[in-house]
Amino acid sequence: MGKQTPVNKHIEIIIVGAGPSGLLLGILLAKQGVKVQILEAAGELDKNPRAAHYAPSAVYELNRAGVLEDVKAQGIHPDAVCWRHPDGTFIAGIRSRFDIDFPMVCLPLDQLDIILLQHFLAQPGTEVLWNHKVVSIDQDENEARVHVETAEGNKTFGADYIVGCDGANSQIRRSLFGDLNYPGETLQKQIIATNVYYDFHKFGYWDSNFIIDENDWYMAARITQDGLWRVTYGDVWGLSNEEYLARQPERYEKILPGNPKPGDYKLVSASPYKLHQRCADSFRVGRFLLVADAAHLCNPFGGLGLTGGIADVGTLFDAFMALKEGKADDSILDKYSEVRRKKWAEIIDPMSRANFRRVCLDEAESERKEFWDLCKKVEEDEELARQMAQGTNVLREDFREYLTAGAA
Ligand SMILES: Cc1cc2nc3c(=O)[nH]c(=O)nc-3n(C[C@H](O)[C@H](O)[C@H](O)COP(=O)(O)OP(=O)(O)OC[C@H]3O[C@@H](n4cnc5c(N)ncnc54)[C@H](O)[C@@H]3O)c2cc1C
């Protein structure tokens, strides 16, 4: 393509996937008068225990979309994060900073999605078409199209641009690059993410805790106002999902403080996950764009998955706005792809790998010691602490330099 589109005031966009990235992009665009429609394969929002922590760069975009006050009202600001030995002994920690513009916020993804859906549907002319599963795609120089299975039969939808926000198994990405073409690797470690009512504070735990060990590593983090905790722990490689879920009581009893038996806690949900570090070859092919999990994946230690995805949303929104307002031609969408892939390769992938290696002791002791020393420095140096707290802002991109001369 690369076709010049000087002013495109009436661009129409289809978003595939009513997950957090699709809904957030939908809100931002609809608020600027872009006609946007979301197609969703499922009949309702996803309820699995996944993201909960959103770093300052993501909070910035939640604020831009006008949803932050609702997220803050329902969520929490975790007080601190720390690392411990399996017996609970404290190693190092970092207190949260609340004297920065957009402190980290925590809210389970299913609750965030409800807020995002309400805000999206509150914009005039928006709609989510549920039970609309995209099965194939095509495009020409005028339009992108998706072919969709619905209860009423197969349908085709077309728009100026179609954005794949359809998650890790993205049909848009598969159609563009092939079913098995998602470059990267699957880490040979198994996690089970659980949501549970169990009072870790009573054992002296902080709001977020990483327990480091070769085998019995886990994360325990308070994620709601009413005391729900996310416990994500590791297990042996190679079992079926049923086997992992059956082993949950014995794993909890072995690794959690107080060695609790099933009657001692209230388990709300549990899901085994594989860990992937992957990035698509391009986030743009003609009139199709990829965003968030459809475009890149990382392990969840350090909460960079959706935080990275939300940074994509912010950048793509800026690119679409520049296009709509005649401040850029559609090569700005190539820039979107270039910038976001670079952020993944240079920041998200290495940082998330380092976070995970620290937890499961898959790194040199010197590397670990360097990090504990850094935590100590942060404790004593206010300015460094503020900088650390805002570290993920490097994921954002200022698009002004790419706009047409004069238009910026
Ligand atoms: C255990 C765990 C903990 C995590 N914790 C964090 C965290 O604390 N912070 C963080 O930033 N990230 C975290 N993540 C990552 C985060 O959950 C994901 O990055 C995020 O959910 C991805 O959002 P998405 O909108 O890209 O995709 P999804 O949430 O997967 O949504 C995709 C949507 O597309 C729909 N869809 C799929 N295929 C089709 C199709 N063919 N047609 C139409 N619709 C389709 C799906 O039904 C779904 O609704 C965590 C992940 C896990 C597994």
Side-chain angles (χ1 to χ4, degrees):
M1 278 208 356
K3 196 178 78 156
Q4 283 268 12
T5 39
V7 179
N8 197 348
K9 286 205 162 69
H10 303 292
I11 53 174
E12 292 185 9
I13 292 172
I14 288 176
I15 293 171
V16 180
S21 65
L23 291 166
L24 187 63
L25 180 62
I27 296 168
L28 286 162
L29 290 171
K31 282 192 162 179
Q32 296 307 316
V34 176
K35 193 165 180 314
V36 51
Q37 184 180 43
I38 298 184
L39 307 179
E40 166 56 51
E44 58 180 5
L45 295 171
D46 183 61
K47 292 195 176 74
N48 282 309
R50 296 197 290 162
H53 296 87
Y54 314 106
S57 56
V59 180
Y60 168 87
E61 298 298 350
L62 294 174
N63 185 55
R64 228 173 21 144
V67 303
L68 182 57
E69 289 314 309
D70 286 357
V71 173
K72 284 197 323 202
Q74 290 184 34
I76 60 169
H77 288 296
D79 62 7
V81 55
C82 68
W83 289 262
R84 299 176 182 278
H85 290 297
D87 66 0
T89 317
F90 178 85
I91 304 168
I94 302 174
R95 297 270 173 201
S96 302
R97 303 286 316 194
F98 299 106
D99 55 351
I100 59 174
D101 283 345
F102 298 109
M104 167 182 278
V105 67
C106 174
L107 181 72
L109 185 57
D110 54 336
Q111 293 177 42
L112 174 68
D113 278 349
I114 292 171
I115 294 174
L116 294 174
L117 179 62
Q118 285 165 350
H119 279 258
F120 176 68
L121 293 177
Q123 297 308 311
T126 54
E127 62 178 344
V128 177
L129 297 179
W130 302 97
N131 300 304
H132 278 56
K133 183 182 177 193
V134 170
V135 290
S136 62
I137 69 173
D138 72 283
Q139 61 179 318
D140 56 34
E141 60 175 18
N142 299 313
E143 194 186 50
R145 287 175 291 275
V146 280
H147 308 289
V148 178
E149 277 177 8
T150 78
E152 302 89 47
N154 295 347
K155 296 181 184 169
T156 295
F157 294 79
D160 294 312
Y161 296 98
I162 297 185
V163 186
C165 293
D166 48 345
N169 290 313
S170 168
Q171 183 58 54
I172 303 297
R173 187 192 65 247
R174 286 167 185 264
S175 298
L176 292 172
F177 298 108
D179 275 343
L180 299 177
N181 186 3
Y182 200 177
E185 64 167 328
T186 299
L187 305 178
Q188 302 292 293
K189 300 270 187 192
Q190 180 70 44
I191 61 165
I192 293 85
T194 63
N195 283 352
V196 61
Y197 286 98
Y198 183 60
D199 186 6
F200 287 82
H201 281 157
K202 139 176 133 187
F203 299 96
Y205 276 43
W206 292 6
D207 274 352
S208 299
N209 310 263
F210 291 104
I211 284 54
I212 67 166
D213 188 63
E214 259 171 50
N215 301 307
D216 293 338
W217 45 270
Y218 67 95
M219 181 201 78
R222 183 171 74 93
I223 57 171
T224 66
Q225 295 172 0
D226 73 345
L228 184 68
W229 287 68
R230 164 67 50 77
V231 175
T232 300
Y233 59 89
D235 207 337
V236 293
W237 182 251
L239 304 183
S240 68
N241 281 358
E242 292 69 33
E243 287 169 320
Y244 284 124
L245 294 176
R247 283 165 57 84
Q248 173 271 316
E250 78 182 75
R251 292 297 293 145
Y252 263 27
E253 189 172 344
K254 170 139 195 263
I255 65 179
L256 299 193
N259 308 104
K261 298 202 182 306
D264 298 331
Y265 53 81
K266 188 175 152 210
L267 186 72
V268 174
S269 53
S271 274
Y273 291 101
K274 298 270 182 281
L275 305 176
H276 309 276
Q277 306 288 140
R278 295 183 186 277
C279 184
D281 281 333
S282 174
F283 297 177
R284 184 213 181 169
V285 178
R287 293 181 173 273
F288 285 93
L289 287 308
L290 294 174
V291 164
D293 278 18
H296 52 83
L297 294 172
C298 68
N299 78 77
F301 287 82
L304 286 170
L306 184 53
T307 289
I310 287 179
D312 296 346
V313 168
T315 308
L316 184 57
F317 168 64
D318 288 339
F320 276 141
M321 282 305 101
L323 200 55
K324 180 175 186 286
E325 290 162 7
K327 293 177 181 169
D329 61 47
D330 87 347
S331 65
I332 194 81
L333 299 175
D334 294 325
K335 197 44 101 178
Y336 158 77
S337 173
E338 183 192 319
V339 161
R340 297 318 316 170
R341 290 187 74 249
K342 196 159 180 266
K343 298 276 186 196
W344 184 87
E346 292 179 0
I347 304 168
I348 295 173
D349 186 45
M351 260 177 80
S352 59
R353 284 178 189 266
N355 290 340
F356 186 49
R357 280 200 306 269
R358 188 170 308 124
V359 175
C360 61
L361 300 191
D362 196 10
E363 64 179 356
E365 210 174 318
S366 56
E367 209 182 318
R368 221 162 23 249
K369 166 130 189 351
E370 213 175 281
F371 184 75
W372 307 147
D373 289 346
L374 175 66
C375 292
K376 282 208 187 76
K377 245 197 205 157
V378 167
E379 220 173 276
E380 291 151 11
D381 184 337
E382 291 264 312
E383 190 41 43
L384 181 63
R386 256 193 299 276
Q387 275 174 26
M388 277 276 278
Q390 301 179 91
T392 64
N393 280 335
V394 296
L395 292 176
R396 286 168 37 204
E397 179 77 9
D398 185 346
F399 251 33
R400 276 173 298 186
E401 67 173 292
Y402 308 125
L403 304 185
T404 315

